[in-house]
Amino acid sequence: MTADRTKPVVSTEYGAVRGRYENGVAVFRGIPYAAPPFGPRRFRPPVTPEPWDGVRDAGSFGPTAPKPPYSEAFAQYLSDPAIPGDDCLNLNVWTPEPGPGARLPVLVWLHGGALTRGSSAVPVYDGATFARDGVVCVSVNYRLGVEGYGLFPDAPANAGLRDQIAALEWVRASIAAFGGDPDRVTVAGQSAGAISTGALLAAPRAQGLFRRAVLQSGAPEAADRDKVRRMVRRMAARLRIPATAESFAAADRAQLLRAQAEVGRFSSPVLGGPAFGIVVDGDVMPRDPLDALVEGDAARDVDLMMGWTRDEYRLWLVPGGLLERVDRLGAVALAGARARCHCGNEVVRGYRAARPDAGAAETVGQLVTDHLLRIPLHRVADARPGSSYVYEFAWPSSLPDLGACHALELGFVFDSGDLPDSRKLAGEGAPQELADAMHGAWVRFAESGDPGWAAWDATHPVRVFGEGEPYVAYGLRDAEFDLWKTDVTMRGMRSRRLVRR
């Protein structure tokens, strides 16, 4: 590294990069970790980038993966910059001490966005606060939508997940030159980034590339292969081309994105429906990641921090007025939630009894949130007592109806609440002391594996951020979890009786 205190230069295995000092932190943006995934490399696993001569400028964010924009209803709450260009497999590094020898903990951030949107350039994900507090922060772009998670007969599956593994391999090989310790890497992600983190925990090729993991509002899961295929086939029908990688690679990129946006209109966590996701492929993902973590030996030496927001579902239902529509549907919506969550009447009645004043939308939202997030994370923690830490984010946004919704915690984790992009969800008056508490917990976890509260055990402790007691037993959530366990057992007994008949 050069001694320049304005434009530091670091050598990587593919060439030197020149960053910038911003408020005492060295920042390197847009560093390629893999070659552009287009032309003959489209829909193929990532390959190493071409080495370059001289010093590559790393002062600006690199291109983002192709993606459709958010709808107007969601764009008022979520920012999603789009930067054109083919070299979209890139990452960014924030470090307080660029150069070998510092051996600082590393946090690798995987953005959310339903595997179809988002990027490392979202302002809320500014890693400067982590570097300020002694953690090297790396944020990653990876392929999205059909480019990253389309399922084709003539191409390998899970290209986006393969990109993330390639980025972690880059971190393993190169982060020491930026002041990081390759043996103290924490992978963290929110929403789709957390689902990706869960998959990386279970992926054999990712073993040994990180020591700790944070799953924010996303649980390990494998998408239904038929649902993913239906997305591809519906896109192919709109484009009037065969549902093959060869045909999609020859299609116009803008037309692909339009077709993807059209067929994905009703793909939401509450509504379900076809969507892109990580699939079991017999290769990079040989087994359902939740099963691998709960029943198998995957990543047994990895410390985990996992959690959710109290009102996750409100970001899924408030934009576009879905909250009111679900309330109006009443019993019809509850029946749909039963089908979405594969649960019996007993579970719905239990939720209504636990929350007698809740409307249909709140009951549906909590059912879906528990089905998708709390219950699978509860199962992972139960399978890994002593090394799992569980939290709940409970501070409600000052904006109408959002409550403690999905993605609201991000501005607190990154201590970026003063940015306009954070206020799009939080509104005005977000408490700095809450940001200090959450950001501090993430820093401590990256440093030592202990965020500052008791690890999961038989008492099921949960650290609550933002409301009431900061440290509680699981309580009501345990009762709800028991409802699901009883329901699954009863349905299993009924199935066995039918088989015997």
Side-chain angles (χ1 to χ4, degrees):
M1 188 206 64
T2 67
D4 188 340
R5 294 301 297 177
T6 58
K7 294 184 178 180
V9 174
V10 171
S11 294
T12 75
E13 59 181 321
Y14 303 113
V17 291
R18 179 184 293 109
R20 303 288 188 275
Y21 271 101
E22 299 174 2
N23 299 318
V25 168
V27 188
F28 302 80
R29 297 182 175 93
I31 304 172
Y33 65 84
F38 298 103
R41 293 185 287 268
R42 202 167 182 189
F43 299 106
R44 299 293 159 183
V47 298
T48 57
E50 288 291 326
W52 57 88
D53 296 324
V55 179
R56 182 186 182 113
D57 186 71
S60 302
F61 286 113
T64 54
K67 56 188 175 178
Y70 280 116
S71 68
E72 185 177 342
F74 279 92
Q76 65 178 312
Y77 298 114
L78 302 172
S79 298
D80 195 13
I83 302 172
D86 286 354
D87 206 356
C88 62
L89 300 186
N90 60 70
L91 51 77
N92 318 295
V93 180
W94 288 262
T95 175
E97 297 184 46
R103 307 291 289 185
L104 297 170
V106 180
L107 185 138
V108 177
W109 178 253
L110 301 178
H111 67 80
L115 298 177
T116 56
R117 295 179 175 88
S119 79
S120 65
V122 173
V124 176
Y125 307 151
D126 191 326
T129 53
F130 280 101
R132 174 199 69 195
D133 295 328
V135 176
V136 176
C137 185
V138 180
S139 60
V140 178
N141 284 339
Y142 53 93
R143 277 175 281 184
L144 303 169
V146 72
E147 301 275 0
Y149 298 95
L151 195 54
F152 299 99
D154 55 338
N158 297 319
L161 181 65
R162 295 170 192 266
D163 294 343
Q164 294 165 1
I165 294 173
L168 288 173
E169 290 171 341
W170 183 96
V171 169
R172 182 73 183 174
S174 301
I175 203 62
F178 293 83
D181 184 347
D183 292 323
R184 281 202 293 166
V185 173
T186 298
V187 177
Q190 185 266 347
S191 193
I195 293 171
S196 299
T197 301
L200 291 167
L201 283 163
R205 296 187 192 179
Q207 303 309 295
L209 295 178
F210 55 99
R211 185 172 175 180
R212 301 181 181 104
V214 183
L215 284 73
Q216 297 176 214
S217 300
E221 67 176 36
D224 184 288
R225 292 176 65 91
D226 288 338
K227 284 188 175 183
V228 178
R229 284 197 188 98
R230 285 204 296 276
M231 286 287 285
V232 173
R233 288 170 183 161
R234 290 176 182 179
M235 288 181 64
R238 286 180 177 271
L239 295 165
R240 299 182 180 179
I241 60 175
T244 64
E246 181 181 15
S247 297
F248 273 58
D252 177 77
R253 199 180 303 177
Q255 290 181 339
L256 276 186
L257 291 177
R258 283 195 294 272
Q260 179 179 302
E262 289 166 358
V263 302
R265 280 181 302 162
F266 301 111
S267 298
S268 80
V270 174
L271 299 174
F276 291 113
I278 297 164
V279 297
V280 174
D281 61 4
D283 180 16
V284 70
M285 187 49 55
R287 186 181 182 188
D288 184 296
L290 183 60
D291 291 343
L293 292 169
V294 171
E295 301 169 4
D297 293 325
R300 281 289 169 185
D301 58 343
V302 175
D303 299 321
L304 301 180
M305 184 165 73
M306 305 175 289
W308 48 79
T309 71
R310 183 164 292 178
D311 306 310
E312 297 272 5
Y313 66 94
R314 287 185 172 271
L315 185 64
W316 308 330
L317 291 179
V318 169
L322 271 176
L323 194 74
E324 294 82 1
R325 276 183 273 174
V326 172
D327 266 336
R328 286 197 299 270
L329 286 170
V332 174
L334 291 169
R338 276 186 53 210
R340 173 79 179 94
C341 301
H342 312 291
C343 66
N345 279 324
E346 296 86 353
V347 174
V348 176
R349 283 198 293 266
Y351 275 61
R352 299 302 296 271
R355 297 179 176 85
D357 297 327
E362 181 178 346
T363 303
V364 167
Q366 294 292 0
L367 274 166
V368 173
T369 299
D370 285 356
H371 171 66
L372 294 178
L373 298 178
R374 295 189 183 104
I375 288 172
L377 292 178
H378 191 300
R379 291 181 61 201
V380 173
D382 273 351
R384 293 159 183 266
S387 61
S388 298
Y389 298 85
V390 178
Y391 73 88
E392 179 171 278
F393 178 82
W395 182 80
S397 169
S398 65
L399 298 178
D401 299 323
L402 287 180
C405 68
H406 191 68
L408 180 58
E409 90 284 7
L410 290 167
F412 297 89
V413 169
F414 280 87
D415 191 11
S416 55
D418 58 337
L419 297 178
D421 299 85
S422 291
R423 292 198 294 272
K424 288 175 74 170
L425 265 182
E428 301 296 333
Q432 181 59 44
E433 60 271 20
L434 179 56
D436 294 340
M438 289 199 78
H439 177 73
W442 268 242
V443 168
R444 288 190 297 274
F445 185 73
E447 289 174 338
S448 67
D450 183 352
W453 65 89
W456 190 263
D457 59 18
T459 67
H460 296 174
V462 175
R463 171 68 161 95
V464 178
F465 289 99
E467 187 175 282
E469 293 297 325
Y471 183 73
V472 299
Y474 210 53
L476 177 62
R477 293 291 176 217
D478 271 341
E480 291 174 344
F481 187 58
D482 287 341
L483 280 171
W484 289 84
K485 287 193 293 186
T486 301
D487 179 67
V488 169
T489 301
M490 294 300 295
R491 284 187 288 125
M493 291 172 61
R494 287 195 291 271
S495 297
R496 286 193 292 274
R497 286 198 295 270
L498 289 172
V499 169
R500 284 197 295 271
R501 289 176 184 173

